[in-house]
Amino acid sequence: MLLSVLLLLVLLLLVSHAEVGYNGAVLTYSTKDVQVMHRYKLSYSSCEGLESRCTGCSNIEESRGEWCLGGWYTGIWIDNRNSISSVSAGMFVEVGNRSDINKPNSSPQTSILPVVRGPLNCQRNISLLTFDPDGDKVICRYASSPPECDTCTPPSVLSLSSSCMLSFSPTDSSSEGPYAVQLMMEDFPRETITLIQNDGSTSLRNTNSAISKIPVQFVFKVDPAAPSCTEGEYLPRFLPPTPEHGAQIFNDVYQTLEIPIRAETSQSVITELLFSGPINVVKISSGSGHFTLRWTPSGNENDESHPICFVVQANVSSSVYQSVHRCVVVTVGNIPGPTVTSSTVVAPTTPLTTSNPPPRTSYLSVLKLKISTTLSLKGNHEIILKAIKDELIRRGLHPDIKVYLRSDGSVEVKKQLPPSG
Ligand SMILES: *[C@@H]1O[C@H](CO)[C@@H](O)[C@H](O)[C@H]1NC(C)=O
Ligand SMILES: *[C@@H]1O[C@H](CO)[C@@H](O)[C@H](O)[C@H]1NC(C)=O
Ligand SMILES: *[C@@H]1O[C@H](CO)[C@@H](O)[C@H](O)[C@H]1NC(C)=O
């Protein structure tokens, strides 16, 4: 048997003593010049120490310090009602050129705030952004087994539709509290396509085969009952000219884009706009529910579609009220982008992290590796695993790593760092 799979690995190296809790992450990628680009959003439940972990990230912080959005995370979820502890967020990527677009696949593009919340007595729909740059069909499901998640218990208070809508129905106070939400978003071609690897070998993917699977993880918080569920009273209501959820905005590279956001409440006070988007998006607050998100895409961001999601938050004394979230997609550059030319697809290890990671934290790296062997997987499991492990060590990973070959063909690599101090 010829094993000629191109694999992309997400490595989660967990710490044993987390200082701050993990709130979730979204990993996406797109293709540009045949390179696979990776974009990631990781959140913390405490902002302390985030600066030192996240060189070159612009961190977004919630005013009461409930969470931060940045470039690093620890290996333990914040306390939650569905008892999820260890973090695992595997991403699956098919490499190789798609016959329909002559370039590699791009994953669906999505984003979400690290903490989404709603009062326990109010029905709420969380509609995830499902923008696919290649026009593929996008489907959501709960993460089902490692490495998609470590413990995979879905949140009991939410029901998920395959169209990526999470619904919360009114409940009682026994369900209050935070829930870890671990989803996978997948894209499927709309007709059978061929994947062409750079050694010329081909394989078919039909409309039932996912060409990428990306993790979407966040916290859903069930808050105490609100005096009213009507938007515009306690819960902020969006007003025009706020763009609709899912709106696609085209913007030239280096040109400044301003997204106006307006919201109102009659019984609570709007305190802030929370958003998640490219790192150089700037928020401008002009008071009484008037906000602007300003962004000037750089050359790096050309020919890509970037999601920006936002919510407006309000309060009355210690009660916090969130609007529904809205997301827009900003497509940068001329559409369609220039055709791609490049040389090699088998890239060396591409760390997602900064070049100078602090010790005693978790690492997240992605690399693409091609394995060719005439051995059959059956009966030669150990030999193949050892070959993969040797190669990873040769590329700089610690000799203590544990390598697992999963039945779906993906490879998981784990390393437990020793506790320090
Ligand atoms: C949520 O979605 C369901 C089904 O699409 C709809 O019937 C319901 O009105 C929505 N609820 C809210 C609060 O938007
Ligand atoms: C994909 O196509 C580009 C341009 O046609 C080519 O340079 C590249 O080598 C191809 N990649 C693979 C994996 O075949
Ligand atoms: C909202 O919360 C802030 C910070 O916790 C507090 O200073 C402010 O008084 C609250 N606003 C209202 C209307 O209760």
Side-chain angles (χ1 to χ4, degrees):
M1 177 188 124
L2 184 66
L3 246 189
S4 154
V5 206
L6 287 163
L7 298 170
L8 202 127
L9 313 180
V10 173
L11 313 180
L12 294 180
L13 308 181
L14 304 181
V15 280
S16 44
H17 294 297
E19 296 133 20
V20 292
Y22 169 87
N23 269 350
V26 178
L27 302 174
T28 64
Y29 71 97
S30 65
T31 52
K32 193 161 70 176
D33 296 339
V34 198
Q35 285 203 339
V36 183
M37 306 274 302
H38 308 273
R39 206 171 300 129
Y40 59 106
K41 305 258 160 9
L42 305 164
S43 345
Y44 290 86
S45 63
S46 157
C47 305
E48 223 165 275
L50 184 58
E51 290 301 326
S52 64
R53 289 153 200 275
C54 185
T55 321
C57 313
S58 89
N59 299 318
I60 299 162
E61 185 176 338
E62 198 245 11
S63 67
R64 290 161 316 128
E66 198 170 75
W67 51 261
C68 282
L69 196 61
W72 286 94
Y73 64 93
T74 60
I76 306 292
W77 276 88
I78 65 161
D79 281 342
N80 57 80
R81 295 294 307 268
N82 45 334
S83 306
I84 309 294
S85 175
S86 294
V87 171
S88 187
M91 174 168 66
F92 300 79
V93 174
E94 295 259 32
V95 197
N97 282 340
R98 294 172 56 145
S99 54
D100 54 345
I101 54 173
N102 285 318
K103 58 179 184 175
N105 183 52
S106 293
S107 78
Q109 301 298 308
T110 191
S111 192
I112 186 82
L113 276 293
V115 176
V116 178
R117 61 199 311 156
L120 62 86
N121 56 327
C122 302
Q123 208 274 326
R124 174 156 296 226
N125 293 334
I126 305 163
S127 167
L128 294 176
L129 180 72
T130 55
F131 178 80
D132 191 277
D134 310 315
D136 297 325
K137 184 170 184 196
V138 175
I139 278 180
C140 284
R141 59 175 172 80
Y142 282 118
S144 60
S145 58
E148 295 176 357
C149 38
D150 185 69
T151 310
C152 302
T153 320
S156 55
V157 293
L158 293 174
S159 70
L160 173 67
S161 76
S162 61
S163 62
C164 303
M165 166 92 87
L166 282 155
S167 305
F168 170 79
S169 298
T171 175
D172 59 50
S173 57
S174 66
S175 304
E176 246 178 78
Y179 294 79
V181 183
Q182 305 177 100
L183 304 177
M184 297 300 291
M185 194 177 274
E186 305 180 330
D187 58 338
F188 298 80
R190 292 190 187 272
E191 49 194 50
T192 300
I193 58 165
T194 305
L195 281 178
I196 307 143
Q197 312 296 358
N198 71 338
D199 67 357
S201 65
T202 61
S203 49
L204 290 180
R205 291 292 177 274
N206 66 25
T207 52
N208 295 319
S209 24
I211 23 187
S212 67
K213 308 177 189 186
I214 59 163
V216 178
Q217 302 189 347
F218 62 98
V219 169
F220 179 69
K221 215 170 218 180
V222 178
D223 284 332
S228 146
C229 294
T230 306
E231 287 187 358
E233 294 183 359
Y234 292 85
L235 301 168
R237 170 172 63 194
F238 285 118
L239 298 172
T242 313
E244 292 302 321
H245 181 59
Q248 189 174 8
I249 299 168
F250 296 92
N251 196 68
D252 276 339
V253 65
Y254 305 123
Q255 179 188 305
T256 299
L257 168 71
E258 295 203 334
I259 302 171
I261 297 165
R262 283 198 60 199
E264 67 174 7
T265 52
S266 58
Q267 308 297 321
S268 61
V269 176
I270 291 179
T271 51
E272 64 199 305
L273 174 77
L274 302 170
F275 71 98
S276 132
I279 61 168
N280 43 355
V281 174
V282 175
K283 170 174 75 174
I284 298 150
S285 305
S286 349
S288 56
H290 287 62
F291 303 94
T292 306
L293 289 176
R294 182 180 289 160
W295 183 41
T296 312
S298 70
N300 285 340
E301 290 145 339
N302 200 9
D303 293 323
E304 291 183 325
S305 293
H306 301 263
I308 300 178
C309 297
F310 50 89
V311 302
V312 169
Q313 196 159 283
N315 69 349
V316 179
S317 65
S318 63
S319 303
V320 180
Y321 302 103
Q322 248 180 28
S323 67
V324 294
H325 85 285
R326 284 197 186 176
C327 302
V328 299
V329 175
V330 183
T331 300
V332 179
N334 300 324
I335 310 299
T339 25
V340 156
T341 52
S342 188
S343 44
T344 167
V345 145
V346 180
T349 309
T350 317
L352 266 179
T353 56
T354 58
S355 58
N356 187 20
R360 254 192 103 237
T361 183
S362 28
Y363 293 68
L364 174 65
S365 307
V366 177
L367 62 84
K368 219 179 335 172
L369 194 62
K370 180 179 178 177
I371 305 156
S372 299
T373 173
T374 50
L375 296 174
S376 116
L377 199 49
K378 246 188 195 153
N380 296 293
H381 200 93
E382 294 297 313
I383 298 170
I384 292 172
L385 269 186
K386 183 165 186 314
I388 296 173
K389 184 172 170 178
D390 289 349
E391 177 63 16
L392 290 173
I393 293 169
R394 202 183 64 75
R395 285 165 182 253
L397 288 197
H398 196 280
D400 283 354
I401 51 171
K402 287 200 161 48
V403 180
Y404 306 90
L405 201 49
R406 307 223 166 254
S407 54
D408 63 0
S410 71
V411 175
E412 185 185 4
V413 182
K414 278 191 180 161
K415 157 114 177 74
Q416 191 81 24
L417 294 181
S420 78

